[in-house]
Amino acid sequence: ASSAADKPVLDEVVHALTGLGIQDVLVSVIQEALRDRATDKPLLIAKGISPTRGKDAFFIYRFGSHLEDKNIEVFPGQLLAVKRPPTIGKPGVSVTGKTIPPLHGRDISIDSGKNVFVTDDGENVFALEKGRVRWKGNSILVDDILEVSGDVDKDVGDISFKGTVSVVGEVKDGFTIHA
């Protein structure tokens, strides 16, 4: 219980704080500190509301995840990734009632790699060629594919190709593939 002597001091403190524009003063905390004569310690006498951060931007991959090691073939014009932009968080309120601006989520970008097209807004990634999709750093690339529908033999000869070689048949003795 507070004494009658504490009441004028409590009223003066609350009046001084509200005079500074501080809203929602935690009167019970001040009252307890005055009662216990604990006025030499820091006190939480008002609370604001912190702003929140929005969600970070991310890509939805239409060919699997970049963490997966898959040989996924794509075709020209195929949508490879779609960006979801960052969102804006919720504003906060200071102890004086002023609005604190919300925090924005972090934005990301993806680089245009070989045989892909990133739209001007950076939100869509398309394959320009038929091939195998893969990651390299912050880029999506589409590697060229050479498809051999039969065996690699005297009819086809040795193969030297910059990209991926897909052979339906066998590589016969004495023949090589350099990809």
Side-chain angles (χ1 to χ4, degrees):
S2 62
S3 69
D6 290 343
K7 186 69 175 154
V9 173
L10 177 62
D11 289 344
E12 290 172 23
V13 171
V14 172
H15 181 72
L17 292 171
T18 55
L20 292 171
I22 296 176
Q23 300 177 352
D24 299 324
V25 175
L26 301 175
V27 177
S28 62
V29 172
I30 298 168
Q31 190 173 32
E32 188 178 311
L34 290 170
R35 183 189 68 227
D36 297 343
R37 309 245 184 265
T39 56
D40 60 339
K41 299 177 189 166
L43 298 173
L44 178 64
I45 57 170
K47 287 185 181 179
I49 300 171
S50 296
T52 62
R53 178 175 297 284
K55 293 183 180 178
D56 293 344
F58 62 95
F59 278 93
I60 298 171
Y61 303 101
R62 300 294 186 192
F63 60 89
S65 163
H66 73 281
L67 300 175
E68 299 169 358
D69 186 21
K70 293 184 175 180
N71 289 324
I72 300 172
E73 292 187 22
V74 295
F75 55 86
Q78 182 175 343
L79 179 63
L80 301 177
V82 176
K83 178 182 174 181
R84 294 292 181 238
T87 62
I88 300 172
K90 294 182 181 173
V93 180
S94 74
V95 294
T96 59
K98 292 183 179 152
T99 300
I100 302 170
L103 303 172
H104 295 260
R106 291 180 189 92
D107 200 6
I108 57 170
S109 63
I110 197 157
D111 297 327
S112 179
K114 178 181 170 192
N115 294 328
V116 301
F117 172 75
V118 180
T119 56
D120 289 341
D121 61 9
E123 295 195 4
N124 296 291
V125 182
F126 294 93
L128 291 175
E129 299 291 334
K130 180 179 180 182
R132 287 224 169 104
V133 67
R134 70 178 173 95
W135 279 93
K136 183 175 183 183
N138 198 37
S139 298
I140 299 175
L141 300 94
V142 176
D143 288 327
D144 296 320
I145 296 179
L146 173 64
E147 295 178 342
V148 179
S149 58
D151 295 334
V152 176
D153 56 16
K154 63 177 176 26
D155 294 331
V156 173
D158 292 331
I159 297 174
S160 180
F161 183 75
K162 192 169 189 166
T164 301
V165 177
S166 174
V167 179
V168 174
E170 298 177 359
V171 178
K172 298 295 183 177
D173 286 342
F175 294 92
T176 59
I177 298 175
H178 295 285

